[in-house]
Structures are given as C-alpha cells and as structure tokens.
Amino acid sequence: MLNYSNKKRAFRLTPPQTLAIGFIVIILIGSVILATPSANTSGEALPFLDAMFIAASAACVTGLSVINVGMDFTTLGQVSLMVLIQVGGLGFTTMATLIAIVLRRRISFRERLILQEAMNQTTLEGIIPLIKKVMIYSLVIEAVGAVLLAARFMTEMPVGRAIYFGVFHSISIFNNAGFDLFGMYPDRSASLIEYVEDPFVMIVSIILIILGGLGFIVLSDLITYRQNKRLTLHSKVVLSASVALIVFGTIIIFIFEYTNPNTLQPLSFGHKLLNAMLQSVSSRSAGLSTVDIGELRQASQFAILLLMFVGAAPGSTGGGIKVTTLVVLIFAVIAMLRGREDVVLFRRRLDQERIHKAITFTLLSFFLIVIATMVLTTTESAPFLPLLFEVTSAFATTGMSTGITDQFSSFGKAFLIVLMFVGRLGPVTLAFALARKPEKDKFRRPEGRITIG
C-alpha cells in the first residue's frame, strides 16, 4: 500500500508540467476543429499541420498565420479561433478555475499552486480573488472595445457584421493576438492597413493593446489606487518601463520611416506620429500594423525586433522576456558600474534570486532565438533578417511578420509551432516541466575565482 502511494505521488504532475500539457491539449483540440471541412470555406479539410499552426498561434496569442483566416475560415472556424484566443490569453487554468467557482467547487491547494505558476505570482495569497478580477476586467474591457469598434465598422459594413467584427477584433487586440478578419474582403489589405489615417481605430487599438500588455496585477493596482493611494513596486516598474519603451519605439520608427514613401512619408505629421506610436505599442506583443512590415526600413525592423524580444508585462496577455526582466538587468548593470552590492528600484532592494532568474530567462531566450534562426537559415530560403524577425515574433508571441510565414516549409512551420509554445509557456517554466524534481545540495563546495572582463 505504501509503495502504491509512493508511485502515485511520483506520477503526480508538477504545476509547470500541468501548464505545458494543458496548452498542448488545447492546441490539439483547436487543430482538430480547424482542420474539419465545416471550418473551411472550401469545404475541404485544412492540412493538419496548417490547422495546428493556426491553433498554436491562437492559443499562444501570437497572430502568425499561414492562411487568410478572414477568407478561408467559415464562421465556425472564426469563432473557434476567437475562443482559442480568449482561452490562450486568459490561460486555461484561469478559465477552469472560473468554471469551478461558478459550480461552487472548492479550489484545492494543488490547483492554487498551478494558478500561481500560470499567473507568475510569488505567493498564493489572494490568488482566487485575482482570478475573479482577471475575468471581470477582461470582459469589461473587451465589451467596451467591441462597442467602440463596432460603432466605427457600422459606417462601412452591415450592422450584424460590424458587431461580429467588433467583438472578434476587440478580443484579438486586447489579448495581444493580432488576428484580423479584414482578409474577408478581397480588395482590402490585412490587419489595420486600411485604417492608417483613422485616428479613432488606432487610438482604441492602442488602448486595448496597452491594457492587455500591462498585466492584470497592474490593472488591479490602478483600479484600486483611489482607495489605497499606493502602487506596488511591480506596478511602478511595469508602468515606468512601458512608458519608456513606447516613447523609445515611437521616436525610432517615426525618425526612420518619416521619409519612407512605402510607409509614413505620404501621411500628415499627426498621422505619422500616431502610426509610429501604434507600431511601437503593437511591436511588444500585439502584432497589429497599419503599414506593411516588409516595407519598413531595416533599422525600423531591427528596433521592432528588439521591442518584440522585450515584450509585455508578467501576468499579461503578452510575451517576450517581459519588461520587468529588462529593468532588473539594466539596474543590475548600473549597480555593478557604481560598485554597489544591492540592486535598488524605487527605494526597494531586490533579492539575488530575482536577478539570477532575470539573467537565466534572458540568456535562455536569447540562445533559443539564435539557435532557431541558425536552423531555419539552413531549411528556408528567406533572407537572414526576415527569418530572425519571424523567429523573434514567434517566440515573443507577437505575430508581426514581414510576409514570409506562408512560404515556410513543413519543417519550418513545425519549428515555429514549437517556438510559439515555448514562448507562451516560458523557457524557464518549460525547463522545470521537463526536468526531474530538483534536489538540494547536501553540501557546498569551496569557493573558486575566475577573471571576468
């Protein structure tokens, strides 16, 4: 009996393993649905690899696509895509927990540990109230976004379709997925290119992207600020870094594309600035664009690539290494240059574990992108920078593309699926999911010294 109990405990999944398997199951279910003939306007089954690519891109809220989802998917396919985006954005554990709460089922300690892992929390305290807030905030923001977008779309399409478009694109934009249905119209460009001179659509999109990328912890802090009169250190760092990155990206894109006849040059000064801001905001995870990414100058593409690598905030619908990781690394360098032992942010000292985790996550992400790019340069025929751009976009779950995604070989598509999965789950979480149960060292070895720099 004791042996059976030990075996049962040995086969019990850890929280990282549960998250990994959960995402795999969601992707497989989505793949089966999207591959069925009834989900495709041609009436024929979509190749399973292509269906899996779209399902993975939606569940990992990336936005890369090998088909025209607006034209090639039926309403069933598009609604299935929308559900995958919503589940992927909020996280399947969040959705499962909310169902359990509605059914008044008790949330076990183990399930709380999984939620803690999924929401990137350092403590179990207040995890269930946070999950409730996540759903409320998401539904309210998406509903407002849907109403605003639908009202705008009613000026150019039937009311029913305008409402449908409003709901789909609000969910897609808030969850930083980047999918759009405008390809339904053969004479229209994809994404938001048709709205390059429409301030209303751009401003609504910018707000939705920012709210989705800040993370639910920060949103909760902002909403309760009037009562608490304070923000947590996490929120201060996220807000400060987000503003700095938006300004940085806007200035870079504005400068380099100002005279580009294929992007911003034909626009007025105000429209140039607003489009540069949208691209800056969208680059960090949303994947939407009002200009052809492939027509951007290489300097702009490289700046966007860097923004994609950084990504959004922890606990958000965005990807990347996260803005908090970047801030920790920058201030660790500053502390080292000043000869200080502690890394201090807003008069708070960071523990060494956070710094080590930031370094680990960044290096793992960097090496993964480098290795993936090296592999794809041997299997695909595209130039180096577009391939690096595509790899970074997939890993950072951004979805921006220079237009080469549908040209990838079967191996290339499968490789991008893995990158999107790893990027959404996080390299460190995936490593913990695959690794054996960690054991503490029984002793510490003598300290050694090596020369650095």
Side-chain angles (χ1 to χ4, degrees), residues 376-377 379-387 402 404 407-408:
L376 291 179
T377 53
T379 63
E380 313 302 317
S381 58
F384 172 75
L385 184 58
L387 279 176
T402 55
I404 64 171
Q407 301 170 20
F408 273 54

Side-chain angles (χ1 to χ4, degrees), residues 346-376:
F346 293 98
R347 299 180 181 179
R348 292 291 185 273
R349 175 178 55 85
L350 298 184
D351 63 82
Q352 290 297 314
E353 183 185 355
R354 298 287 159 200
I355 300 168
H356 293 160
K357 187 173 182 180
I359 295 171
T360 303
F361 192 71
T362 303
L363 287 178
L364 282 176
S365 302
F366 175 75
F367 287 133
L368 183 62
I369 289 175
V370 169
I371 293 170
T373 305
M374 290 173 64
V375 171
L376 291 179

Side-chain angles (χ1 to χ4, degrees), residues 182-255:
F182 297 111
M184 184 183 296
Y185 298 95
D187 59 335
R188 292 188 58 160
S189 302
S191 200
L192 298 180
I193 292 178
E194 295 292 332
Y195 300 97
V196 67
E197 296 186 88
D198 191 321
F200 183 82
V201 172
M202 285 191 285
I203 291 172
V204 171
S205 299
I206 287 172
I207 293 172
L208 285 174
I209 295 169
I210 290 175
L211 291 177
L214 285 178
F216 299 106
I217 306 167
V218 178
L219 289 179
S220 178
D221 262 8
L222 291 174
I223 291 172
T224 58
Y225 180 74
R226 294 184 63 181
Q227 290 79 33
N228 300 333
K229 300 297 181 184
R230 61 183 292 275
L231 293 173
T232 62
L233 175 62
H234 172 82
S235 295
K236 291 177 181 178
V237 171
V238 168
L239 291 171
S240 302
S242 297
V243 171
L245 288 170
I246 290 172
V247 172
F248 166 79
T250 301
I251 292 173
I252 294 295
I253 295 170
F254 181 82
I255 291 174

Side-chain angles (χ1 to χ4, degrees), residues 26-58:
I26 291 171
I27 291 171
L28 290 176
I29 292 174
S31 303
V32 172
I33 295 173
L34 296 179
T36 57
S38 56
N40 296 274
T41 53
S42 63
E44 300 178 358
L46 187 70
F48 191 76
L49 181 60
D50 288 348
M52 181 177 286
F53 189 97
I54 302 297
S57 185

Side-chain angles (χ1 to χ4, degrees), residues 5 11 50 70 121 123 128 134 144 146 164 172 191 194 219 226 235 248 266 268 284 293 295 323 331 391 421 439:
S5 178
F11 281 107
D50 288 348
Q121 294 294 289
T123 175
I128 300 304
V134 165
V144 173
Y164 177 58
S172 178
S191 200
E194 295 292 332
L219 289 179
R226 294 184 63 181
S235 295
F248 166 79
S268 66
R284 293 199 6 256
I293 299 299
E295 296 293 339
V323 294
F331 277 82
V391 166
F421 174 73
E439 297 180 2

Side-chain angles (χ1 to χ4, degrees), residues 421-433:
F421 174 73
V422 174
R424 184 67 180 99
L425 200 62
V428 175
T429 301
L430 185 62
F432 284 147

Side-chain angles (χ1 to χ4, degrees), residues 90-216:
L90 297 181
F92 75 94
T93 52
T94 303
M95 302 294 288
T97 303
L98 288 168
I99 293 173
I101 291 173
V102 171
L103 297 177
R104 296 184 178 181
R105 189 176 71 82
R106 182 178 172 274
I107 310 299
S108 68
F109 178 74
R110 174 175 168 72
E111 290 167 335
R112 291 170 191 260
L113 286 175
I114 296 172
L115 287 171
Q116 178 188 0
E117 182 74 30
M119 298 299 292
N120 285 318
Q121 294 294 289
T122 57
T123 175
L124 287 175
E125 185 180 355
I127 192 71
I128 300 304
L130 176 62
I131 296 300
K132 294 178 181 178
K133 290 178 182 179
V134 165
M135 181 53 74
I136 294 172
Y137 298 161
S138 299
L139 291 179
V140 170
I141 293 170
E142 289 172 352
V144 173
V147 170
L148 294 174
L149 291 175
R152 171 61 184 86
F153 295 151
M154 284 180 190
T155 62
E156 58 189 57
M157 58 184 73
V159 174
R161 177 167 291 183
I163 295 173
Y164 177 58
F165 268 47
V167 172
F168 183 96
H169 291 97
S170 180
I171 291 175
S172 178
I173 296 172
F174 173 71
N175 286 289
N176 285 204
F179 281 102
D180 70 271
L181 300 179
F182 297 111
M184 184 183 296
Y185 298 95
D187 59 335
R188 292 188 58 160
S189 302
S191 200
L192 298 180
I193 292 178
E194 295 292 332
Y195 300 97
V196 67
E197 296 186 88
D198 191 321
F200 183 82
V201 172
M202 285 191 285
I203 291 172
V204 171
S205 299
I206 287 172
I207 293 172
L208 285 174
I209 295 169
I210 290 175
L211 291 177
L214 285 178
F216 299 106

